[in-house]
Amino acid sequence: MRACLVTVLLGLAGLPWNPSPAHSQPLRTALIISNAQYADLPPLPRCTASAAAVRDALKARGFEVVERNDVRRGEFDAAIGALAKRTAASPPSVAVLYYCGYAREFNGRSFLLPAAANIARDNDVLTQGLISKSLVDSLARVGDSTGVVLLDGFQPPGASATGLARLVEQIQPGSFAVIGVNNDAAAQGPTATAQALRAQLTGEEVSLEKFVGGMRGELAKGGAGTAFVVAAT
């Protein structure tokens, strides 16, 4: 399966993404969730490699990075809540939420799967999965902050889709950008998203808007497929 890119551009603020020492630096904080080992699904070694690439790139730019691996549903919620609380406590700030793992669509919505998920019936995802949109909503409620949510999704065996493309219909314009990519589990090494992020965080200072535009260009160049855009208002 070729990677498929979904991009939602949401009211990007002008805070510098990688400010130089001459600028006052807002809090830069990140949460990386990598679900590479599942209880009832094939492993995703690409998530381990991708999370490491994203972590190293963000740390090199001064981000405070929290990593969570192979999280259960409760741990998922707690980690996202902690990121939102940390971001809200130090405005203005730039926050990054990166997820790598399985996602599946049910009833028109995308759900991210915790590592312990055991989806015997399609509707089991309602109690075991986490609605993808809820990650964006958790950060969108934080005032005076901006950032990006990156969802590196893999389609589980037997699932019809990850549902990430549905986000363009469901997310309202706000201060956070969302980038969702459907990946090929059979490929090797870091995902196109992780590689593009690493490339965008090298070199000169860049605004968040330019960062997201660069990500979109890099992913399209890498054959990541059609971009779906919701313009800022």
Side-chain angles (χ1 to χ4, degrees), residues 120-215:
R121 299 179 303 274
D122 287 346
N123 62 1
D124 286 343
V125 77
L126 295 172
T127 55
Q128 298 185 42
L130 186 74
I131 299 173
S132 299
K133 180 178 177 292
S134 69
L135 274 71
V136 183
D137 291 342
S138 295
L139 293 175
R141 289 191 287 267
V142 177
D144 297 323
S145 297
T146 190
V148 61
V149 177
L150 301 114
L151 303 176
D152 242 351
F154 292 81
Q155 185 174 314
S160 60
T162 66
L164 291 177
R166 296 279 189 175
L167 293 176
V168 298
E169 307 163 1
Q170 299 167 352
I171 296 175
Q172 297 299 312
S175 59
F176 278 78
V178 180
I179 300 175
V181 180
N182 297 326
N183 296 284
D184 184 355
Q188 301 294 315
T191 62
T193 305
Q195 294 181 61
L197 180 143
R198 183 168 53 192
Q200 291 304 305
L201 293 186
T202 59
E204 298 295 324
E205 177 182 328
V206 62
S207 69
L208 183 55
E209 183 174 9
K210 289 182 178 178
F211 166 81
V212 175
M215 287 286 293

Side-chain angles (χ1 to χ4, degrees), residues 4-227:
C4 179
L5 167 67
V6 180
T7 306
V8 186
L9 301 181
L10 305 177
L12 298 177
L15 289 178
W17 181 256
N18 50 354
S20 65
H23 290 80
S24 60
Q25 298 190 12
L27 172 71
R28 284 165 284 163
T29 185
L31 170 64
I32 296 174
I33 296 177
S34 170
N35 284 349
Q37 298 293 328
Y38 280 80
D40 198 49
L41 288 167
L44 294 172
R46 297 193 72 192
C47 283
T48 301
S50 300
V54 171
R55 175 200 65 212
D56 292 346
L58 291 172
K59 282 188 172 181
R61 283 300 181 181
F63 277 79
E64 299 176 7
V65 178
V66 174
E67 295 181 82
R68 295 290 182 266
N69 300 318
D70 304 328
V71 298
R72 295 174 177 269
R73 174 57 196 272
E75 296 167 330
F76 219 139
D77 290 332
I80 294 165
L83 175 65
K85 184 177 180 180
R86 179 80 175 98
T87 303
S90 302
S93 58
V94 177
V96 176
L97 172 54
Y98 175 78
Y99 167 80
C100 189
Y102 284 113
R104 67 182 294 158
E105 182 178 339
F106 180 71
N107 279 357
R109 293 187 294 178
S110 175
F111 292 81
L112 307 181
L113 299 187
N118 180 7
I119 310 300
R121 299 179 303 274
D122 287 346
N123 62 1
D124 286 343
V125 77
L126 295 172
T127 55
Q128 298 185 42
L130 186 74
I131 299 173
S132 299
K133 180 178 177 292
S134 69
L135 274 71
V136 183
D137 291 342
S138 295
L139 293 175
R141 289 191 287 267
V142 177
D144 297 323
S145 297
T146 190
V148 61
V149 177
L150 301 114
L151 303 176
D152 242 351
F154 292 81
Q155 185 174 314
S160 60
T162 66
L164 291 177
R166 296 279 189 175
L167 293 176
V168 298
E169 307 163 1
Q170 299 167 352
I171 296 175
Q172 297 299 312
S175 59
F176 278 78
V178 180
I179 300 175
V181 180
N182 297 326
N183 296 284
D184 184 355
Q188 301 294 315
T191 62
T193 305
Q195 294 181 61
L197 180 143
R198 183 168 53 192
Q200 291 304 305
L201 293 186
T202 59
E204 298 295 324
E205 177 182 328
V206 62
S207 69
L208 183 55
E209 183 174 9
K210 289 182 178 178
F211 166 81
V212 175
M215 287 286 293
R216 182 182 178 190
E218 288 287 333
L219 289 165
K221 265 195 319 186
T226 303

